[in-house]
Amino acid sequence: MKSLFSIATAILLINSAALADSTPVITAAQAAQIAQQDLESRGIEGQFYIWQMTYKKDSFMSGKRYWEVLWNKSFPAQTEGRKEFGLRIQMNGEYTRAVK
C-alpha cells in the first residue's frame, strides 16, 4: 500500500512539474488582441479596457491552461442579474466571458 502511494505521488509530481514548465500556445499579446477585439465588436472599447491579465490553469487535475483577462470594471452580462468582469481565453483561441 505504501508503494502504491509512493507511485501515485511520483506521477503527480511529474505531471505538476510538466505543467509548471508549459509555455502558453497563445502569447499574452495575442490574448490581449482577442480581448480587445471582443470589446470592439460590442462597441464598448471606449468605456472598458484590459486591466489585468494572468496565465492560469483550470484545475490541478485537468491542467488546462488559459489566459484570464480582467476588465477595469464589471458591467451587466447577457444573463440577467449577472455581471461580466473579463474573459477566459483558452489556448486554442476560443474564449468565454467571465461572469459572477
Side-chain angles (χ1 to χ4, degrees), residues 22-36 50 53-56 65-69 89-93:
S22 67
T23 302
V25 175
I26 291 183
T27 65
Q30 291 169 319
Q33 183 177 15
I34 290 169
Q36 187 63 35
I50 297 169
M53 287 181 55
T54 308
Y55 184 55
K56 293 185 158 191
R65 300 289 179 143
Y66 63 93
W67 285 102
E68 182 178 67
V69 179
I89 303 170
Q90 304 300 319
M91 291 298 110
N92 63 4

Side-chain angles (χ1 to χ4, degrees), residues 45-63:
E45 72 277 6
Q47 303 165 333
F48 305 98
Y49 56 86
I50 297 169
W51 176 63
Q52 181 180 358
M53 287 181 55
T54 308
Y55 184 55
K56 293 185 158 191
K57 70 177 176 176
D58 196 21
S59 70
F60 185 72
M61 296 305 285
S62 78

Side-chain angles (χ1 to χ4, degrees), residues 4-87:
L4 180 61
F5 177 74
S6 298
I7 292 170
T9 302
I11 290 170
L12 188 61
L13 289 175
I14 290 169
N15 287 338
S16 297
L19 288 174
D21 293 334
S22 67
T23 302
V25 175
I26 291 183
T27 65
Q30 291 169 319
Q33 183 177 15
I34 290 169
Q36 187 63 35
Q37 287 173 343
D38 178 69
L39 290 173
E40 290 170 5
S41 72
R42 296 190 278 168
I44 56 175
E45 72 277 6
Q47 303 165 333
F48 305 98
Y49 56 86
I50 297 169
W51 176 63
Q52 181 180 358
M53 287 181 55
T54 308
Y55 184 55
K56 293 185 158 191
K57 70 177 176 176
D58 196 21
S59 70
F60 185 72
M61 296 305 285
S62 78
K64 291 182 181 178
R65 300 289 179 143
Y66 63 93
W67 285 102
E68 182 178 67
V69 179
L70 302 179
W71 306 135
N72 60 313
K73 56 186 172 181
S74 60
F75 52 89
Q78 292 175 343
T79 305
E80 189 175 333
R82 305 194 113 208
K83 295 206 173 247
E84 179 178 328
F85 62 91
L87 298 179

